[in-house]
Amino acid sequence: AQSVTQPDIHITVSEGASLELRCNYSYGATPYLFWYVQSPGQGLQLLLKYFSGDTLVQGIKGFEAEFKRSQSSFNLRKPSVHWSDAAEYFCAVAESNFGNEKLTFGTGTRLTIIP
Amino acid sequence: DTGVSQDPRHKITKRGQNVTFRCDPISEHNRLYWYRQTLGQGPEFLTYFQNEAQLEKSRLLSDRFSAERPKGSFSTLEIQRTEQGDSAMYLCASSNRLSSSYEQYFGPGTRLTVT
């Protein structure tokens, strides 16, 4: 069965600083990978996804992520964070077996932005 | 397109009572998923429907849980004889299986508190 590890429970960065959130996955086949963001009281919003092709994917709100098969990683990056980026971030992998795209999520990384 | 909606947003119930939640997916989406999210964890898959057929249930879904999707439109999730361990956020998501993007769109969730 697939699994996702987000090793950082909580990260604090200064506004304007760069950000990298780590994600490692375990899945036998080619994974479908996602990053979601969850703000308090809000549902999960998709930031970006990777299925195939270019390993560097661009998403909304200035985020990008790079798929590295050799490291089983899909880290999320942003060159300059804004106070509005404070939220919980979840990495997820889709099980594509028989066309069921149920998602397996990591435990999340809470991002705090300091002025 | 008004997005995925869930009702109620919050539910407080006493142990042993039954509760029912409703999810209205995006209108053209034929797949509907239920997830459960406890504090400090990522969402965990419970079950999913393709149209009106329930195609998979997680081992997390005990016999006290039942989900339906009559006519392939809205879905309900019922929990019978609630226990304190059922306290969680219940998330609904929908996707369009005919689309190649495999994106799941999430609702705002129903927060259940069992006292």
Side-chain angles (χ1 to χ4, degrees):
Chain A
Q2 71 273 25
S3 65
V4 176
T5 302
Q6 293 181 249
D8 303 306
I9 296 173
H10 184 203
I11 283 183
T12 300
V13 299
S14 299
E15 189 169 15
S18 63
L19 170 70
E20 182 169 26
L21 302 182
R22 295 182 292 166
C23 172
N24 293 96
Y25 68 89
S26 172
Y27 185 56
T30 300
Y32 297 158
L33 294 160
F34 305 81
W35 275 99
Y36 282 85
V37 61
Q38 186 177 39
S39 299
Q42 304 293 317
L44 291 158
Q45 182 183 22
L46 180 67
L47 287 175
L48 46 76
K49 61 184 184 288
Y50 171 79
F51 295 148
S52 63
D54 193 347
T55 57
L56 184 64
V57 293
Q58 302 297 320
I60 63 171
K61 304 185 180 185
F63 285 93
E64 67 177 25
E66 186 171 12
F67 170 62
K68 292 185 177 179
R69 183 185 298 275
S70 61
Q71 299 177 19
S72 298
S73 69
F74 187 57
N75 294 348
L76 181 71
R77 301 193 295 248
K78 187 169 184 177
S80 176
V81 298
H82 186 262
W83 64 266
S84 61
D85 294 325
E88 188 95 22
Y89 291 80
F90 293 95
C91 181
V93 60
E95 178 180 309
S96 59
N97 187 33
F98 300 113
N100 171 11
E101 292 88 40
K102 66 181 180 183
L103 295 172
T104 297
F105 287 85
T107 51
T109 297
R110 183 159 59 94
L111 176 63
T112 298
I113 308 295
I114 55 176
Chain B
D1 178 0
T2 56
V4 179
S5 60
Q6 294 186 243
D7 183 70
R9 296 289 305 274
H10 303 273
K11 179 70 177 179
I12 300 174
T13 190
K14 293 185 177 180
R15 185 165 51 93
Q17 298 295 305
N18 299 344
V19 294
T20 300
F21 310 140
R22 176 180 171 126
C23 170
D24 287 90
I26 294 171
S27 59
E28 66 271 21
H29 285 184
N30 52 7
R31 287 205 165 178
L32 187 148
Y33 300 79
W34 285 98
Y35 293 85
R36 181 172 68 187
Q37 185 178 20
T38 54
L39 202 60
Q41 300 296 315
E44 295 173 293
F45 169 79
L46 293 179
T47 188
Y48 92 100
F49 293 83
Q50 178 159 308
N51 301 313
E52 66 276 9
Q54 187 175 18
L55 298 186
E56 186 172 344
K57 295 196 296 184
S58 162
R59 287 171 293 177
L60 293 175
L61 217 61
S62 75
D63 291 343
R64 296 184 297 104
F65 288 70
S66 62
E68 294 182 343
R69 192 183 182 196
K71 303 179 182 178
S73 55
F74 70 92
S75 175
T76 58
L77 178 67
E78 180 183 17
I79 309 175
Q80 297 182 325
R81 305 181 303 281
T82 53
E83 302 172 355
Q84 288 189 321
D86 297 331
S87 295
M89 176 78 84
Y90 290 84
L91 297 166
C92 176
S94 68
S95 70
N96 184 354
R97 183 61 183 91
L98 299 178
S99 165
S100 60
S101 66
Y102 300 104
E103 292 181 25
Q104 293 185 24
Y105 295 82
F106 282 81
T110 294
R111 181 170 295 283
L112 173 66
T113 302
V114 181
T115 62

